Amino acid sequence: AQSVTQLGSHVSVSEGALVLLRCNYSSSVPPYLFWYVQYPNQGLQLLLKYTSAATLVKGINGFEAEFKKSETSFHLTKPSAHMSDAAEYFCAVTEGGNEKLTFGTGTRLTIIP
Amino acid sequence: GAVVSQHPSWVICKSGTSVKIECRSLDFQATTMFWYRQFPKQSLMLMATSNEGSKATYEQGVEKDKFLINHASLTLSTLTVTSAHPEDSSFYICSARGQSGYGYTFGSGTRLTVV
């Protein structure tokens, strides 16, 4: 069975500082991993996805994530936080051939001016 | 890019009435549609999965007679909350997957309030 754990339900960083949102996964087969962002009362927007190609994945808005099989991790980073990055972030996993996305519990990112 | 249009964005209904939520894929064929429910400050919980022309597959604990899902065409899926009660108040989000790639396109969500 697949699962995702997001460490830290709330993360606060100063504007211009590094953003690091943690995600660890569990999967019985090679996973496909995703990061989504959700703004209040809106749906989810895909930031980036890993689908067994390059382990360092670059996404939109300056975000990137690195797939580390040995650590079963897929942490999301951004070198310099912007006020507009304040939102809820979800990590999700699906196993090859299984279409269901399993979401983590989410991390609320707050940017301090 | 792929777009899923979800309507309405918000709806308030009286207890005991039914509400229909629509999701349309605007520029691709959605072979599979997923319906999620999200409680305040919580993650998305999958309610059901539907494939075009087939009956929906519901997750454990989700009442199929209460949450009716129809996926009659490759561009339209609907979720009907029947005989709604205040505990059905939630944020409902659809997600569509096309025939190619591992792309999941999400609708903008529907805020349902039952009074």
Side-chain angles (χ1 to χ4, degrees):
Chain A
Q2 60 197 34
S3 66
V4 167
T5 301
Q6 289 184 242
L7 297 176
S9 58
H10 291 86
V11 171
S12 296
V13 300
S14 298
E15 189 175 15
L18 171 71
V19 174
L20 171 61
L21 304 183
R22 300 178 185 274
C23 173
N24 288 88
Y25 70 90
S26 174
S27 177
S28 57
V29 299
Y32 287 23
L33 294 156
F34 305 79
W35 273 101
Y36 288 91
V37 61
Q38 184 181 34
Y39 297 97
N41 293 310
Q42 294 188 29
L44 274 67
Q45 181 182 10
L46 179 67
L47 284 176
L48 48 82
K49 61 182 178 182
Y50 167 77
T51 56
S52 74
T55 56
L56 181 61
V57 181
K58 293 185 182 299
I60 62 171
N61 301 341
F63 284 94
E64 64 181 38
E66 186 172 8
F67 173 72
K68 293 186 176 180
K69 184 178 178 180
S70 60
E71 299 178 7
T72 61
S73 69
F74 190 58
H75 302 330
L76 182 71
T77 60
K78 181 174 180 177
S80 178
H82 192 272
M83 294 301 294
S84 61
D85 294 327
E88 189 85 19
Y89 291 79
F90 292 97
C91 183
V93 64
T94 186
E95 296 177 341
N98 180 346
E99 296 184 332
K100 294 181 184 180
L101 273 176
T102 299
F103 286 89
T105 50
T107 298
R108 181 169 299 276
L109 177 64
T110 300
I111 310 298
I112 304 167
Chain B
V3 176
V4 172
S5 176
Q6 183 171 347
H7 292 281
S9 299
W10 58 270
V11 57
I12 301 174
C13 71
K14 291 184 177 180
S15 185
T17 62
S18 296
V19 173
K20 179 183 285 188
I21 301 170
E22 288 189 354
C23 276
R24 293 180 182 271
S25 56
L26 299 186
D27 49 5
F28 69 102
Q29 294 183 329
T31 53
T32 306
M33 192 73 79
F34 304 89
W35 287 94
Y36 295 87
R37 183 173 181 176
Q38 185 180 31
F39 291 102
K41 299 183 180 180
Q42 295 189 27
S43 189
L44 283 75
M45 301 301 296
L46 180 65
M47 299 174 65
T49 303
S50 71
N51 293 298
E52 183 265 337
S54 302
K55 289 184 177 180
T57 301
Y58 290 81
E59 296 298 301
Q60 190 173 8
V62 177
E63 299 177 61
K64 62 180 181 180
D65 294 331
K66 181 168 188 61
F67 299 100
L68 300 179
I69 292 172
N70 184 284
H71 193 171
S73 77
L74 285 170
T75 59
L76 174 64
S77 178
T78 61
L79 167 67
T80 301
V81 182
T82 62
S83 187
H85 289 91
E87 57 265 30
D88 299 324
S89 299
S90 190
F91 194 59
Y92 294 87
I93 306 176
C94 65
S95 174
R97 183 169 182 267
Q99 294 175 320
S100 61
Y102 264 86
Y104 300 82
T105 304
F106 285 80
S108 54
T110 297
R111 171 76 58 194
L112 170 63
T113 302
V114 185
V115 299

